[in-house]
Amino acid sequence: MMMQLQETSPNQKNSLFNAMNRFIGAVNNMDQTIMLPSMLRDVPLEEDRQMSPLKSSDEDEGDMYSYYQLLKSIRRDIEWGVRCAAADEMRKGSMKITRMNSSASTSSSASSLSSEDDEEEDEDLEKQFQFHLTGLQGVLSKLTQQANSLTKRYKKEIGIGGWGQ
């Protein structure tokens, strides 16, 4: 399932939908190009400077195959939602919050929020949303570049570096 946008106006080029479409398209291209993913095993990420930000300091080196799998997993999460385990964790967390809220509402010391507090919360929510949206678009942009880089690197490894660019 790939999201399709009909027409993209100049104002929409930085939309979240377009960022997701670019990422999904790059991963689909990577997936269609890489016919033998096993060839990526034991190929270190360090040779490609666009791939070097992928390595974290607390993990082992990793190889291109593991990153190939990671990109496909992220695409699947975007297309189908997060996996069940994460949804179960969220459900458990929300049940705890609901219990805490219900016990707080029954206590005699519970007080209602003033309209000024509501406005501050709304403003905070808007700022949080903008912050996370900007971050998500930045992450999707980097992941798109890295999927494209992985595809180019694979082509180089198998000797078709100039094809389909």
Side-chain angles (χ1 to χ4, degrees):
M1 175 177 124
M2 187 164 147
M3 295 176 287
Q4 298 284 327
L5 294 177
Q6 297 301 324
E7 295 179 26
T8 304
S9 72
N11 295 334
Q12 291 177 322
K13 74 177 185 169
N14 293 322
S15 77
L16 179 59
F17 290 121
N18 283 332
M20 288 190 299
N21 276 333
R22 284 189 295 270
F23 170 71
I24 290 170
V27 174
N28 286 342
N29 182 45
M30 175 190 76
D31 205 19
Q32 291 171 358
T33 301
I34 298 174
M35 302 305 265
L36 298 168
S38 61
M39 286 184 63
L40 300 173
R41 288 190 192 277
D42 301 325
V43 177
L45 295 171
E46 65 195 32
E47 290 181 26
D48 195 335
R49 63 179 178 207
Q50 283 193 348
M51 301 295 281
S52 61
L54 305 177
K55 293 187 273 184
S56 66
S57 59
D58 60 343
E59 284 186 19
D60 291 335
E61 285 287 310
D63 59 9
M64 288 179 57
Y65 180 79
S66 60
Y67 201 67
Y68 168 82
Q69 293 296 342
L70 176 66
L71 289 168
K72 286 180 57 171
S73 174
I74 292 170
R75 177 192 61 191
R76 185 178 52 248
D77 287 348
I78 289 173
E79 290 177 332
W80 298 100
V82 287
R83 291 181 278 272
C84 295
D88 290 343
E89 266 317 298
M90 294 287 287
R91 248 185 265 124
K92 288 177 187 176
S94 68
M95 287 172 59
K96 289 177 186 175
I97 292 171
T98 303
R99 282 190 216 126
M100 289 171 41
N101 288 343
S102 64
S103 64
S105 65
T106 57
S107 72
S108 59
S109 64
S111 62
S112 63
L113 293 173
S114 68
S115 62
E116 188 175 301
D117 290 341
D118 287 341
E119 288 176 15
E120 284 181 26
E121 277 188 28
D122 289 343
E123 187 176 312
D124 287 345
L125 287 175
E126 184 177 2
K127 286 179 184 177
Q128 288 176 10
F129 174 75
Q130 293 296 325
F131 174 78
H132 289 291
L133 182 62
T134 302
L136 181 58
Q137 286 176 317
V139 168
L140 285 170
S141 176
K142 288 176 185 176
L143 289 171
T144 301
Q145 290 172 348
Q146 292 167 349
N148 289 334
S149 179
L150 192 117
T151 303
K152 288 178 188 175
R153 177 92 181 272
Y154 175 82
K155 287 179 178 181
K156 179 181 168 188
E157 291 290 325
I158 63 169
I160 58 169
W163 292 14
Q165 297 206 20

